[in-house]
Amino acid sequence: MTTPEPGPTSSVQRGLAGFGEAACRYREGVVRPEDLPMIAAEALAAGLDSPALRELAGLPRNAASDDVHDACAQALAECGLALPDPATARRHALRRLAVRLLDGPVDPAELAGEEWWELETDTAAERAFVELMPQCTCCLDYTLRTDPRTWPADLRAAARALTAAARALTAAVPAVPGC
């Protein structure tokens, strides 16, 4: 495996972060197994390297999903990462959503479409953020436990609290580069 160069933005570190995020999204169910070989190829192009990563990059799109999964888990291990369990990946996705919400507007349909209300939360910050998520977009006005006029501000405040608690969450939810 290629050792990351010093500095926060080396190409290897960007490749590691991208591969780590893809693994997290794969476990969350957002990235399909047939997309992992191309993601591995992009990580290789960024300078990340390991035998299993090269093997994963060489798999065809129609490879058996078990083979892709095993190659992905091995490539991650060789790069010093672990394949997160689905629950951990989902909690990382919740944090990414909070960051996106703070960076700019997020469509309420995205908030409802992900069925966040079903997420098993482990912290008060996660619970507070999830409780503000609508169960569906068609009934956004009456599924919220808050005033619809103040909901956007309440949601942003909960997102700020969740991202501020990220350091504490890292102890409970192991950090994965990219997640």
Side-chain angles (χ1 to χ4, degrees):
M1 178 180 106
T2 302
T3 305
E5 305 162 9
T9 58
S10 73
S11 64
V12 173
Q13 289 171 328
R14 284 190 303 274
L16 188 62
F19 189 46
E21 181 174 350
C24 213
R25 289 173 173 246
Y26 164 65
R27 290 301 285 188
E28 184 191 343
V30 175
V31 170
R32 299 176 311 200
E34 59 265 24
D35 295 330
L36 287 174
M38 182 55 73
I39 291 167
E42 290 168 358
L44 284 169
L48 192 61
D49 193 16
S50 81
L53 188 63
R54 289 191 299 269
E55 178 187 335
L56 177 59
L59 291 175
R61 284 187 59 83
N62 63 351
S65 61
D66 286 346
D67 293 342
V68 173
H69 178 85
D70 293 346
C72 180
Q74 182 62 37
L76 286 165
E78 289 176 4
C79 293
L81 302 174
L83 188 61
D85 64 86
T88 300
R90 189 79 170 135
R91 291 178 65 210
H92 282 292
L94 183 69
R95 284 200 253 169
R96 286 193 308 271
L97 176 62
V99 168
R100 279 198 335 268
L101 181 67
L102 293 174
D103 287 345
V106 172
D107 183 5
E110 181 180 356
L111 300 176
E114 294 287 331
E115 298 179 351
W116 292 108
W117 55 275
E118 293 181 339
L119 179 69
E120 290 186 32
T121 57
D122 286 347
T123 68
E126 289 174 343
R127 276 188 292 285
F129 189 59
V130 168
E131 284 176 358
L132 290 168
M133 302 290 187
Q135 290 188 18
C136 68
T137 54
C138 64
C139 50
L140 182 63
D141 290 339
Y142 65 88
T143 60
L144 298 176
R145 295 182 185 140
T146 187
D147 182 344
R149 295 168 297 189
T150 62
W151 173 69
D154 293 344
L155 189 62
R156 286 194 188 292
R160 272 192 298 280
L162 178 57
T163 56
R167 289 191 199 282
L169 287 173
T170 300
V173 182
V176 175
C179 276

